[in-house]
Amino acid sequence: MTIDSAAMRSNIVGLALIAPLVIFLAFTFLVPLGRMLVLSVSDTELAAIMPRSVIALASWDGETLPDEEAFAAVAADLAAAREDRTAGTAARRLGYASAEWRTVLSSTARSLPDDASSITNWQDTLVSIEPAWGQAKIWHALAEARGPFTDIHVLTALGMDGGPDSGLYVNVLVRTFVIAISATAICLLLAMPAAYLLSSVSGPLAGLLMLTLLLPLWTSVLVRSTSWLVILQKNGILNQILMALRITNAPLDLIYNRTGVLIALTHVLLPYAVLPLYAAMKSLPKSQMQASRSLGGGPLSGFFRVYLPQVLPGLSAGGLMVFILALGYYITPLLLGGQGDQMLPFYIAYNTLQALNWGLAASLAGGLLIVTVILYLLYVRLVGVERVRV
Amino acid sequence: MFDSMKFWTVLTRLAGILVLLFLLLPLFAIIPLAFNAGSIVSYPMTGLSTRWFEAVVSTPRWLNSIGNSMIVAAATVALSVPLGTAAALGLDRLHFAGKSVVMAILISPMIVPVIITAVGVYFFFAPMGLANSLLGLILAHSAIAVPYVLVSVNAVASQRDRRLERAGSSLGATPFVVFRTITMPLILPGIVSGAIFAFAASFDEVVIAMMITGPDQKTLPRELLSGTRENLDPSVLAVATIIIAISAGLLVALNLVGAKRKVAG
């Protein structure tokens, strides 16, 4: 057997061993995420409930009012939807473009006559129920919502839809980045002395100090957030200490605002900044700072000109990882933040579970996914895949 | 004479100690309150009592969620350990340029924000009837747990002495015998620590649990989240204390295996 064919055999066995995991992750992770991305641009809700209208509008010129056939189709679809109790779903979908259409559609579905056999002119009937049917605008909304693809959710996520909440998600995106960058900056600042302390001790004390880093990392984020909620509340221990020390006379508002989110988020993320920095500092010979000193460098110039440049890779690896993780936290802002401190993940969950706007949820999640993947690839490229550890 | 070097060293170390205290103290701040005799979740305590722990173990809601969490975490370990171990050994045998890409994809569930995985799995599982089931939760938890197994086993496997396996084969052992008697014992610490990581990943997870469980499948973190948001009383802190104790136990177990958390960086 030649070396090449041995390597080939090894590759084949290797791939066969990986295959079960690939298949498993395809079913539980990769395909669901792919489907989610498709969902963010797909638009099948309305077409499923109002198939006749979609067909009738296919030949509409878009300028004048559609013909009687289209009015009859809308009436027939809405009557059927009323039977099937799906009118609300169609109304909700049409409401994405403008809340007004949601009302028009539901009230039309509600007010259609039970006996349709006597009606000869559907245009007059619909316009008499809701005058909006006499204008081209709602017909445009219907035509745009006929699917199978739409850009409405992506545009809403980017604040470019011109709809009622336009700009809401731009604010959320900016806020998410601001919170993530603030948390990263605080983490890096705090990580410096902590990593330095860890790297400068040895023996059993080093193990003990390492434990203070690992125990929080091992404790669930939810438990730590709950803990901060108790500590930072109005009559919590921190306010009691601050008042006992006469630093403040009245209790400070430390939760349900940005302060609480940043404190707890920093606590959750700090170990990820300390660990790579510690590794970088540990590998640095002590003699370098002594050399810098013997050459006349002061402590600050030694730090900035000798120490910092060499631990910079560890610092940036930690900073990048903290930033990536910070973008995705849901529980910590949920428990400690106010309404103005909720990040992108909150709105993904909100649109999935409460607003039931799955397309928008998928668009927001897709955007976060793309940003995360790009930063992850950057991390893999700069730091190496073998050093990814969360 | 004022020694500025010494001044800076002391100052930095002091700052370092403060930062480590900032990391550690919040974990302990709530533990005494779980033993509070009164029903307020703030200091000063009105007396010592284990009544809140008794309340937890006599409340069906908490007991049910502890049971669910244990079932899901155990099943997650059972599913992710074989899959992750096989894949780690498979990666070890690969010799081509795209190897790190394969690795990056296989461990990506660890990096992708859980909320995204949760939503993706929810959209995907709901039509199949897997959304309100423990099975759905087990599958999703296994997806996020398997990278930990992969990384743990991979770290140990890449350090092992391959000559032992070659010696075994050259002495006539079949590949299966080589695996069972040589490879397996060598990588066992990696497998065990991977299993601990996988258990912890599932046991602590709350976002997917929130998305895809119905009232009957609530896990311990899911109930803890409800308790924290809706009715924060000392029994919630008792549950948090139990979780801290279990996490600490897992960390001790991990240290006993000897495969300490590989330091990133």
Side-chain angles (χ1 to χ4, degrees):
Chain A
M1 198 161 66
T2 64
I3 292 176
D4 271 356
S5 75
M8 180 69 92
R9 232 199 90 185
S10 178
N11 276 343
I12 290 170
V13 176
L15 288 174
L17 285 167
I18 296 172
L21 180 57
V22 172
I23 294 166
F24 179 78
L25 284 183
F27 178 71
T28 56
F29 183 73
L30 300 170
V31 173
L33 291 197
R35 279 273 315 263
M36 187 192 76
L37 289 177
V38 173
L39 197 62
S40 69
V41 291
S42 71
D43 197 7
T44 53
E45 270 178 321
L46 195 86
I49 298 165
M50 305 183 69
R52 301 176 194 86
S53 315
V54 165
I55 294 168
L57 283 172
S59 55
W60 178 42
D61 64 6
E63 282 162 31
T64 55
L65 273 180
D67 51 19
E68 172 66 15
E69 190 199 342
F71 281 93
V74 166
D77 280 336
L78 287 180
R82 185 171 61 180
E83 279 303 294
D84 303 341
R85 300 181 179 278
T86 51
T89 309
R92 195 186 69 227
R93 167 59 192 95
L94 208 60
Y96 295 161
S98 158
E100 188 190 339
W101 307 141
R102 180 175 187 155
T103 326
V104 171
L105 216 63
S106 354
S107 96
T108 309
R110 234 182 0 255
S111 320
L112 277 172
D114 290 323
D115 180 19
S117 56
S118 61
I119 304 226
T120 51
N121 188 332
W122 280 109
Q123 177 165 359
D124 289 348
T125 311
L126 287 189
V127 172
S128 71
I129 296 172
E130 279 288 346
W133 291 110
Q135 289 165 2
K137 272 199 272 177
I138 191 167
W139 294 98
H140 278 292
L142 263 180
E144 272 166 29
R146 69 170 182 253
F149 295 107
T150 181
D151 54 7
I152 189 169
H153 303 304
V154 176
L155 291 180
T156 306
L158 295 171
M160 287 156 49
D161 62 322
D165 297 332
S166 188
L168 168 68
Y169 289 105
V170 176
N171 280 340
V172 172
L173 288 178
V174 171
R175 181 194 302 159
T176 305
F177 276 96
V178 167
I179 293 177
I181 287 174
S182 318
T184 307
I186 301 171
C187 281
L188 290 181
L189 205 66
L190 296 183
M192 289 294 279
Y196 180 76
L197 179 69
L198 283 168
S199 70
S200 65
V201 295
S202 54
L205 184 62
L208 199 68
L209 289 182
M210 204 43 147
L211 205 65
T212 65
L213 201 64
L214 297 187
L215 191 59
L217 200 61
W218 261 89
T219 309
S220 93
V221 174
L222 173 61
V223 167
R224 285 188 275 166
S225 302
T226 302
S227 189
W228 278 113
L229 197 64
V230 171
I231 294 168
L232 299 176
Q233 63 182 321
K234 201 136 219 163
N235 54 352
I237 186 161
L238 188 64
N239 266 322
Q240 290 177 5
I241 292 173
L242 291 178
M243 283 165 74
L245 294 174
R246 312 244 170 234
I247 294 174
T248 171
N249 288 322
L252 301 174
D253 284 325
L254 298 168
I255 47 170
Y256 307 131
N257 56 28
R258 195 61 60 89
T259 313
V261 173
L262 284 178
I263 291 176
L265 214 48
T266 301
H267 185 255
V268 168
L269 293 166
L270 186 54
Y272 299 108
V274 176
L275 286 172
L277 194 57
Y278 159 76
M281 286 179 174
K282 194 83 186 166
S283 66
L284 216 61
K286 277 204 167 97
S287 54
Q288 284 195 350
M289 283 303 277
Q290 286 158 4
S292 137
R293 210 180 162 211
S294 71
L295 290 169
L300 285 180
S301 88
F303 173 77
F304 281 109
R305 295 174 61 183
V306 178
Y307 205 74
L308 194 60
Q310 297 195 77
V311 298
L312 209 55
L315 198 67
S316 32
L320 189 55
M321 186 49 81
V322 167
F323 184 73
I324 295 175
L325 295 173
L327 289 177
Y329 274 103
Y330 169 63
I331 293 299
T332 307
L334 182 72
L335 290 180
L336 290 141
Q339 216 162 24
D341 308 300
Q342 298 307 324
M343 299 164 70
L344 200 47
F346 172 86
Y347 291 91
I348 295 172
Y350 169 78
N351 280 301
T352 306
L353 296 176
Q354 266 114 51
L356 299 181
N357 188 346
W358 286 14
L360 182 56
S363 285
L364 296 171
L368 183 59
L369 178 63
I370 290 168
V371 172
T372 308
V373 166
I374 291 172
L375 292 173
Y376 172 48
L377 292 178
L378 188 70
Y379 187 91
V380 168
R381 182 115 190 110
L382 293 180
V383 188
V385 71
E386 67 285 352
R387 289 190 175 158
V388 177
R389 185 107 216 209
V390 178
Chain B
M1 199 186 87
F2 175 72
D3 185 338
S4 75
M5 196 60 149
K6 195 156 196 167
F7 169 77
W8 283 105
T9 308
V10 170
L11 196 71
T12 325
R13 287 195 180 197
L14 199 66
I17 291 170
L18 288 176
V19 172
L20 290 182
L21 286 178
F22 163 74
L23 276 173
L24 199 59
L25 288 183
L27 298 186
F28 295 106
I30 56 168
I31 295 176
L33 288 176
F35 293 94
N36 195 359
S39 55
I40 308 171
V41 290
S42 65
Y43 293 95
M45 288 170 62
T46 48
L48 275 176
S49 156
T50 55
R51 62 182 272 218
W52 300 108
F53 288 89
E54 285 155 25
V56 168
V57 295
S58 59
T59 308
R61 191 168 62 91
W62 289 119
L63 284 181
N64 190 30
S65 69
I66 292 174
N68 283 336
S69 275
M70 288 295 173
I71 293 170
V72 172
T76 297
V77 170
L79 203 54
S80 61
V81 167
L83 285 170
T85 305
L89 292 174
L91 273 173
D92 186 60
R93 286 172 153 270
L94 287 192
H95 302 282
F96 62 82
K99 190 178 160 178
S100 63
V101 178
V102 177
M103 179 81 170
I105 292 172
L106 293 180
I107 62 175
S108 61
M110 192 159 72
I111 298 295
V112 168
V114 192
I115 184 75
I116 297 180
T117 310
V119 169
V121 164
Y122 177 69
F123 292 154
F124 191 66
F125 281 1
M128 296 182 208
L130 280 173
N132 283 333
S133 72
L134 284 185
L135 178 63
L137 189 60
I138 290 165
L139 292 175
H141 275 185
S142 298
I144 59 165
V146 92
Y148 294 96
V149 180
L150 185 61
V151 170
S152 294
V153 177
N154 191 55
V156 178
S158 61
Q159 303 287 322
R160 75 183 192 278
D161 188 348
R162 284 151 213 272
R163 288 172 305 181
L164 297 173
E165 285 157 359
R166 262 178 255 140
S169 327
S170 72
L171 290 170
T174 62
F176 178 73
V177 171
V178 169
F179 174 77
R180 198 172 52 82
T181 59
I182 303 174
T183 315
M184 179 76 179
L186 284 177
I187 61 169
L188 196 60
I191 297 176
V192 175
S193 58
I196 296 172
F197 275 114
F199 188 93
S202 167
F203 192 76
D204 289 343
E205 201 290 318
V206 63
V207 181
I208 299 175
M210 191 194 76
M211 272 301 166
I212 68 167
T213 55
D216 293 335
Q217 297 95 35
K218 283 192 171 181
T219 59
L220 191 58
R222 179 69 191 83
E223 285 289 1
L224 182 67
L225 179 64
S226 305
T228 304
R229 295 193 73 193
E230 287 146 27
N231 181 25
L232 186 55
D233 67 18
S235 67
V236 174
L237 301 188
V239 170
T241 304
I242 294 171
I243 295 183
I244 293 176
I246 292 175
S247 302
L250 289 175
L251 184 60
V252 170
L254 198 64
N255 275 295
L256 291 180
V257 181
K260 278 187 204 144
R261 193 196 144 87
K262 194 183 128 231
V263 171

